[in-house]
């Protein structure tokens, strides 16, 4: 039964335009909180089952595809290591175009393959470019600077709280990879170990199209003995 089929309060039977659907399952409606609480013992099992089904429908739905490389217009690879971020213009390009530009240049001078801006010559310049992109709400710049703070790389001191702050900000703006970074931090390398939070962010990352997050969910399910769910992730 869908929410659209329900025209009466599941507890008292009253109808009307002010009925509100159960937030978890959407199967029934209530006229107020009192009716919802009164009906809870009868509805609990059905609600829990349907809520789990809704969660799985979202979790295993085909994720969005990557954008195209702005140079060759081919779909960007799923693997992050096969792409390169340009902090000067905020473009993500495929390594094929980056390599092709290097071959065509045939000189020691390195410019951005997209906007032709000269490459940064110091860590300080790289950080300034990333911070400028972050001011423009560039989620990849947030994720990248977060990685620098996490590892203490490119001239910044290690700061796990700052890394998490940047990843959370990027994740809220839709960056699936940042969800996976947050999950790994909560799982085994962060300021606190919280497996519930880790799995939550893995699920958001997987739904957003991050392959490592999906793989990690499969690993968690296989270690728990849930091989059918693990294979669905794999």
């Amino acid at each position: 039964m869908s929410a659209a089929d329900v025209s009466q309060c599941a507890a008292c039977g009253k109808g009307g335009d002010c009925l509100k659907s159960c937030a978890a399952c959407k199967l029934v409606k209530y006229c107020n909180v009192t009716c919802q609480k009164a009906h809870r013992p009868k509805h609990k099992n059905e609600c829990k089952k349907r809520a789990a089904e809704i969660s799985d429908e979202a979790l295993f739905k085909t994720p969005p595809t990557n954008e195209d490389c702005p140079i060759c217009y081919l779909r960007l690879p799923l693997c992050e290591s096969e792409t390169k971020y340009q902090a000067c213009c905020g473009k993500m390009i495929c390594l094929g175009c980056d390599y092709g530009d290097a071959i065509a240049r045939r000189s020691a001078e390195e410019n951005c393959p997209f906007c032709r801006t000269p490459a940064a010559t110091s860590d300080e310049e790289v950080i300034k470019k990333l911070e400028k992109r972050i001011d423009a709400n560039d989620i990849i710049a947030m994720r990248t600077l977060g990685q620098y703070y996490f590892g203490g790389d490119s001239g910044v001191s290690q700061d796990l709280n700052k890394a998490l702050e940047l990843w959370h900000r990027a994740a809220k703006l839709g960056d699936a990879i940042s969800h996976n970074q947050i999950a790994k931090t909560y799982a085994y390398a962060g300021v606190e170990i919280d497996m519930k939070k880790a799995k939550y962010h893995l699920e958001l990352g997987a739904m957003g199209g991050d392959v490592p997050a999906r793989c990690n969910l499969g690993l968690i399910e296989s270690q728990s003995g849930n091989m059918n769910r693990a294979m669905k992730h794999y």
Side-chain angles (χ1 to χ4, degrees):
M1 184 187 303
S2 68
D5 299 324
V6 181
S7 59
Q8 295 179 325
C9 174
C12 67
K14 293 181 180 179
D17 297 330
C18 297
L19 299 177
K20 294 185 177 180
S21 298
C22 173
C25 68
K26 312 297 183 184
L27 289 176
V28 295
K29 290 185 177 182
Y30 301 103
C31 51
N32 53 50
V33 175
T34 301
C35 282
Q36 185 174 12
K37 289 182 177 179
H39 190 247
R40 180 63 181 168
K42 294 181 180 179
H43 178 57
K44 181 170 62 175
N45 290 336
E46 180 187 32
C47 181
K48 186 176 180 180
K49 179 181 177 182
R50 180 54 188 153
E53 292 173 350
I54 292 174
S55 177
D56 275 2
E57 287 170 5
L59 181 59
F60 293 106
K61 183 180 179 181
T62 301
T65 57
N66 282 348
E67 297 179 352
D68 293 343
C69 171
I71 296 176
C72 66
Y73 294 104
L74 296 177
R75 189 66 48 83
L76 286 169
L78 291 174
C79 184
E80 185 184 11
S81 63
E82 296 178 4
T83 61
K84 185 176 180 181
Y85 175 68
Q86 305 296 321
C88 47
C89 55
K91 299 297 183 181
M92 182 71 82
I93 65 173
C94 67
L95 286 188
C97 286
D98 182 57
Y99 180 73
D101 180 73
I103 295 298
R105 230 179 18 246
R106 294 184 179 180
S107 69
E109 183 180 359
E110 185 177 351
N111 297 329
C112 171
F114 184 80
C115 70
R116 314 314 299 175
T117 299
T121 56
S122 66
D123 289 338
E124 291 78 6
E125 190 177 351
V126 170
I127 299 303
K128 285 182 179 179
K129 286 186 176 182
L130 288 174
E131 290 175 341
K132 184 177 180 180
R133 293 301 309 167
I134 289 172
D135 289 340
N137 280 336
D138 187 326
I139 58 177
I140 304 178
M142 295 174 195
R143 183 212 310 157
T144 302
L145 188 55
Q147 290 168 340
Y148 290 165
Y149 276 112
F150 182 79
D153 301 324
S154 297
V156 300
S157 300
Q158 187 178 45
D159 189 333
L160 300 185
N161 287 317
K162 185 65 175 178
L164 275 174
E165 178 186 334
L166 287 163
W167 288 336
H168 275 294
R169 184 177 170 186
K172 287 180 180 178
L173 292 173
D175 186 39
I177 298 176
S178 286
H179 278 297
N180 187 47
Q181 297 292 93
I182 295 168
K184 290 190 293 184
T185 305
Y186 281 131
Y188 55 77
V191 292
E192 61 174 310
I193 301 299
D194 191 326
M195 294 307 298
K196 186 176 181 180
K197 287 183 179 179
K199 188 175 182 181
Y200 169 76
H201 283 285
L202 284 177
E203 289 177 346
L204 291 177
M207 287 188 284
D210 184 57
V211 175
R214 179 71 68 183
C215 182
N216 287 332
L217 282 175
L219 181 61
I220 290 174
E221 295 293 356
S222 64
Q223 290 175 338
S224 301
N226 303 321
M227 295 309 299
N228 288 335
R229 288 183 65 82
M231 292 306 295
K232 289 180 72 174
H233 286 300
Y234 293 146

